[in-house]
Each structure stands twice: as structure tokens, then as C-alpha cells.
Amino acid sequence: MMNMLLKSKHDEQEESHWLSVSDLMAGLMMVFLFISIALMRNAFIERDKIKQVAVAYQENQIAIFQALTDEFAINLDKWDAEIDEVTLTFTFKSPDVLFKSGKYDLSSQYKELLHNFFPRYMQVLEPFKSSINEVRIEGHTSSPFGKATEDDAYFGNMALSQGRTRSVLNYIYLLPAITDHKDWVKQHLAAVGLSSSRLIYKDNGKENYKASRRVSFRVITNADIQIKRILQEG
């Protein structure tokens, strides 16, 4: 009888022990569930914020492209220029008008063109300044000629393309018509020489040497900066 009583008591203690463990596990599962829900909620909030930035970025890109097109549509053929909707790049494609071969001094024709173009360009960008991170003046050359090594030719063309963009930046910066924009230009315009790194090819796969030699104004918006800020704040 005594043994039976002891066994019964032992069974009750063991059952009580497993009930406690079971309750503890259930509680932990609930805690993990709430943590998971909270994390998922935060992830969805961040996703929605990034989506909003992406939508705003796309709408802003379209608005800038449309504003540039509205302003300069009548000039594009005369200037042999084009505007790329995806990259917001305004490209002048007539190297013979822009610079003499191998030189980075602006031609009188190019000065006249920039005198007309850049003040209007700044007026178009005025409503979008808060969303613009940088405007790059990008200089491009064709692939190198001559007997120089590939590396020497590449860096020679790098110096040429860089010199050309600096000449452009120097000229437009001193234009009286952009005096009110000078501080913004100083902070947001960059002269970038890209040498022959981004060649343009014909349909037959051969390089289009004339098209490869060009100068572009490229608008870079700050959507990526906004996304990084959202992720950091999250």
C-alpha cells in the first residue's frame, strides 16, 4: 500500500513537472510569435516606404524628362542632341562643333550653344532641385588611335575627356545668366571624364567613332539616398 501511495505521489509530481515545462514552452512560443509578427510588420512598413520612394522616383524621372523635352524639343535637331528618358542624359553628339580634334578648348560655336542651353537647363531643373543629388557633365571619347599602348591611350583619352568637361563647367559657371544658381552649381555639378569606357556601336557591331565622341549632362536623383536613410532609420 505504501509503495502504491509513493508511486502515485511520484507520478503526480512528474505530471506537474511536465505541465510546467509545457506551459513554459507554450509561453515561449507565444513570445516568439509576437516577435515574428512585430518583425514582419516592420519589414512590411519598410517595404511600403521603399515602394513609395520608388514610385515617387519614377514619377520624378518622368516629370524631369518631360520638362526637358518641352523646353528643348525645338532645339534638338539643330544642336544634334538627344535626351535619354531612362538616364535623364542630355547629349550633344557633334564633336566637330564642340571641340577641335584632340583639344579641350571650347569652340566659338559650342560657347554660343552653351550660352543658350545652360541657363534654360537650370530653369527646367529649378522645381526639381530638392530631388537632385548631382548633375554630371560627362565627357566621352572614341577608342584610341595610334601606336600607344592600350593603357596609355586610355589614360590619354581620360585626360582629354576630363579636360573637356572642366572647360564646359568653367564656361557655364561664369555665365552671368546663372548667377542666382551659382551656389547650387558649385555644390551639385561635377565634371567627369570617362575616356573611351562607354563606346557607341553601329547596328553592324562596329564602333560609331563620331557618336562615341560626345559631351552629356546627366541628372542623378537622390532616390537611392532616401532608400538608404529609410533602412538606417528602420
Side-chain angles (χ1 to χ4, degrees):
M1 178 66 71
M2 182 63 67
N3 289 337
M4 290 179 63
L5 289 173
L6 290 173
K7 185 175 183 304
S8 176
K9 186 175 182 180
H10 178 268
D11 291 343
E12 290 176 0
Q13 290 176 344
E14 186 173 346
E15 183 178 353
S16 175
H17 167 74
W18 284 112
L19 286 173
S20 299
V21 171
S22 177
D23 291 342
L24 177 61
M25 292 299 293
L28 289 173
M29 289 294 291
M30 290 298 295
V31 171
F32 289 141
L33 178 61
F34 287 133
I35 292 174
S36 298
I37 291 172
L39 290 174
M40 288 176 63
R41 180 177 179 275
N42 289 337
F44 286 138
I45 291 174
E46 287 188 1
R47 182 203 62 185
D48 290 341
K49 286 181 179 179
I50 292 173
K51 184 178 179 180
Q52 290 173 6
V53 171
V55 170
Y57 163 79
Q58 184 178 26
E59 292 176 346
N60 196 56
Q61 292 276 113
I62 294 172
I64 294 174
F65 171 75
Q66 191 60 55
L68 288 170
T69 301
D70 291 345
E71 176 65 30
F72 294 108
I74 61 174
N75 303 112
L76 295 179
D77 288 339
K78 180 181 177 181
W79 292 348
D80 192 16
E82 66 181 9
I83 308 170
D84 186 277
E85 183 175 4
V86 176
T87 62
L88 296 181
T89 301
F90 194 112
T91 302
F92 296 99
K93 303 184 295 179
S94 293
D96 298 335
V97 173
L98 309 183
F99 305 93
K100 292 181 179 180
S101 179
K103 305 295 183 180
Y104 55 80
D105 296 322
L106 276 64
S107 68
S108 58
Q109 296 154 293
Y110 195 20
K111 288 180 179 179
E112 183 180 347
L113 188 156
L114 289 172
H115 192 274
N116 185 339
F117 162 75
F118 194 68
R120 292 164 60 193
Y121 186 72
M122 290 305 302
Q123 288 298 322
V124 170
L125 297 185
E126 178 69 32
F128 306 100
K129 281 182 176 179
S130 63
S131 67
I132 295 175
N133 184 50
E134 186 177 66
V135 175
R136 288 184 187 173
I137 307 170
E138 298 181 340
H140 304 265
T141 69
S142 59
S143 58
F145 295 94
K147 297 181 180 180
T149 66
E150 182 178 345
D151 291 342
D152 287 343
Y154 171 74
F155 282 103
N157 276 345
M158 179 69 74
L160 177 62
S161 60
Q162 183 69 43
R164 287 176 169 178
T165 58
R166 288 182 64 184
S167 294
V168 172
L169 180 55
N170 181 74
Y171 182 78
I172 61 178
Y173 181 75
L174 296 176
L175 287 173
I178 66 107
T179 300
D180 292 342
H181 302 285
K182 243 181 178 181
D183 288 340
W184 193 88
V185 168
K186 188 185 296 184
Q187 294 173 15
H188 293 86
L189 259 72
V192 182
L194 295 170
S195 187
S196 54
S197 62
R198 301 180 185 178
L199 301 175
I200 293 178
Y201 296 92
K202 300 177 182 178
D203 292 338
N204 61 9
K206 294 182 179 180
E207 181 183 348
N208 186 329
Y209 289 96
K210 180 181 177 181
S212 293
R213 301 192 298 272
R214 63 203 189 275
V215 173
S216 303
F217 287 75
R218 180 184 174 198
V219 176
I220 301 175
T221 58
N222 56 18
D224 58 334
I225 296 175
Q226 294 183 39
I227 290 174
K228 287 178 183 177
R229 176 175 51 78
I230 289 171
L231 293 176
Q232 289 171 353
E233 290 177 353

